[in-house]
Amino acid sequence: MDADLAQPAARALLAFWRAAGVDMDEAEAVYAAAPAAAPARAANAPVSKPKPKAKTPDAPVETAKAMAASARTIAELRAAVENFDGCALKKTARNTVFSDGVDDAPVLLIGEAPGKEEDEQGKPFVGRSGQLLDRMLAQIGLSRTNNVLISNTIYWRPPGNRDPTQGEIVACLPFVERLIELSRPKLLILTGKAAAQTVLRRDDAVTRMRGRKLNYTREGLEAPVNALVMLHPAYLLRQPQQKRQAWVDLLLAEAWLEELGVARGARP
Ligand code: URA
């Protein structure tokens, strides 16, 4: 079929399935990413040579670093992330998902990437795994209304919830690092592989990093930050038998927060 005819037909089909209640986000994302059909060229029109593209391989990362560094508060950092166009996921996402909770909280928790509900609401961890996370945090007197700031490694939903690519992670990393610098948490909690490996710059499996008191350190940081790795709540929903390990991690976090003198609410 001719490309000009195929596009409206495909769009109508996507709309039909969406109206029928099928989650078409992944298909729409692929479609949105496809280049638009080129306009027809008159038979005798001169063929113009494509201009060579400027070579700027690290441009998004350099831009992210500059924008992150110029943010002096978490509110400014949020605005910087919202204005950043160097991560292709922004084109297919509905919303930027930066953070939720208390900006000057003693605990900063970083997850992986927004899913469907997070993308719709523009807030991290509001779907099923977010609800489990809230219940887990409540067990040790933590909540996003009182003493936790929640964010992610990636600020836009990957289509169909696929894993973020290395390029997407690297483009967002300067903002993640600046968030840690600006919030200076007493305890940094990294949930799941993407957050733990990216932030700590380690290749180890989560099972090797969890259950231990760790340090996050980086050039330019005033002092090392206490860090813990925990199993991701989405993983716990898939593997409920691992909840025992998650409970051990929570008890370690609770004991460390007690040692650090962090005020917490009562357990439910
Ligand atoms: N999983 C994450 O890692 N982050 C979210 O915001 C939601 C689900």
Side-chain angles (χ1 to χ4, degrees):
M1 193 193 279
D2 177 293
D4 288 346
L5 293 176
Q7 288 208 22
R11 283 196 196 287
L13 193 59
L14 287 175
F16 169 83
W17 283 115
R18 188 179 273 288
V22 177
D23 179 358
M24 296 306 291
D25 285 2
E26 186 169 8
E28 284 187 0
V30 170
Y31 203 73
R41 190 174 64 85
N44 57 356
V47 180
S48 60
K49 276 194 191 154
K51 280 189 195 150
K53 273 195 184 163
K55 275 194 182 165
T56 51
D58 291 336
V61 179
E62 292 311 316
T63 305
K65 280 185 186 165
M67 290 174 80
S70 68
R72 283 156 307 157
T73 62
I74 294 177
E76 285 182 10
L77 188 64
R78 171 191 291 272
V81 169
E82 282 167 353
N83 287 325
F84 178 60
D85 292 325
C87 178
L89 293 174
K90 190 178 184 182
K91 292 196 194 108
T92 53
R94 286 193 171 90
N95 281 300
T96 299
V97 179
F98 179 63
S99 73
D100 191 28
V102 182
D103 277 0
D104 59 355
V107 178
L108 171 62
L109 182 140
I110 299 182
E112 183 178 340
K116 190 170 187 291
E117 285 86 355
E118 289 78 18
D119 183 39
E120 279 164 8
Q121 296 185 37
K123 277 188 189 178
F125 281 103
V126 290
R128 263 184 84 219
S129 62
Q131 288 156 19
L132 174 59
L133 177 67
D134 285 344
R135 290 199 298 275
M136 289 165 62
L137 293 176
Q139 290 300 324
I140 56 170
L142 298 178
S143 71
R144 49 180 112 195
T145 47
N146 274 332
N147 43 20
V148 181
L149 179 64
I150 297 182
S151 189
N152 275 317
T153 311
I154 296 285
Y155 305 112
W156 297 276
R157 181 193 181 197
N161 296 347
R162 65 159 169 77
D163 287 343
T165 65
Q166 206 49 35
E168 290 154 1
I169 290 174
V170 165
C172 295
L173 185 57
F175 298 108
V176 177
E177 293 184 331
R178 185 71 178 141
L179 179 62
I180 300 172
E181 219 166 44
L182 289 172
S183 70
R184 282 195 231 145
K186 292 234 165 98
L187 181 63
L188 171 65
I189 299 179
L190 304 163
T191 55
K193 182 172 129 183
Q197 292 189 341
T198 305
V199 172
L200 298 174
R201 298 181 187 241
R202 290 168 63 155
D203 277 343
D204 302 306
V206 168
T207 46
R208 282 184 61 86
M209 291 187 273
R210 61 159 284 279
R212 294 198 278 150
K213 287 181 170 180
L214 302 171
N215 263 334
Y216 165 79
T217 173
R218 205 173 59 83
E219 213 186 304
L221 201 66
E222 257 172 42
V225 174
N226 303 315
L228 277 183
V229 171
M230 287 198 189
L231 300 175
H232 194 286
Y235 171 73
L236 296 173
L237 288 172
R238 291 193 303 272
Q239 309 274 337
Q241 70 279 16
Q242 298 293 331
K243 284 187 181 167
R244 179 191 291 268
Q245 301 301 328
W247 182 242
V248 172
D249 292 346
L250 284 172
L251 292 180
L252 175 60
E254 185 179 45
W256 205 357
L257 289 167
E258 188 68 31
E259 213 177 284
L260 295 165
V262 173
R264 285 164 295 117
R267 279 186 185 187

